[in-house]
Amino acid sequence: MTDTCSQPVPFTGSLLLCDGFVGEEMTISVVLDNGKPALLPYRGTYPPTRYQTVYELTFEQGKLVKTTDRSSDIEAYRQITQAEQLQPGDREKWQTKIRPWISAYHDLTHLDQDYLD
């Protein structure tokens, strides 16, 4: 087995590369075998909004066609969601405050319309 893959990957779409974690790490609440509650470190993937540096790499049929620094966009997003005190499930604020901001800065035509509504 080789250390590198030489097979082409016909991927078309965008990837986000993130670095410089900001904020506090999340924890999850669990119940231990002895029945006592505990908080454990979250080991899942954090959203791009939790990073200082964010690059969007756009590929067409496996070839890199565009690199965009999204760091300032992500910082602006953090500021607007903090100012609006957005909570999970708050559809009204999402529709009236956040979605228009995202649409102004990002091309969302590749997403399924049901995802946006």
Side-chain angles (χ1 to χ4, degrees), residues 29-59:
S29 177
V30 298
V31 177
L32 301 175
D33 289 339
N34 63 8
K36 293 185 179 182
L39 292 176
L40 298 178
Y42 173 74
R43 298 285 185 218
T45 303
Y46 286 95
T49 55
R50 299 297 292 267
Y51 293 90
Q52 187 174 22
T53 304
V54 180
Y55 280 91
E56 179 181 12
L57 306 180
T58 304
F59 294 87

Side-chain angles (χ1 to χ4, degrees), residues 75-109:
E75 173 60 26
Y77 179 82
R78 274 195 303 272
Q79 289 177 3
I80 194 171
T81 54
Q82 288 171 358
E84 292 299 326
Q85 298 179 356
L86 188 67
Q87 298 297 317
D90 192 342
R91 300 289 283 167
E92 183 179 340
K93 281 188 181 177
W94 161 255
Q95 290 292 345
T96 61
K97 304 284 185 175
I98 308 303
R99 184 177 177 194
W101 181 88
I102 292 174
S103 297
Y105 287 93
H106 304 287
D107 177 10
L108 303 177
T109 57

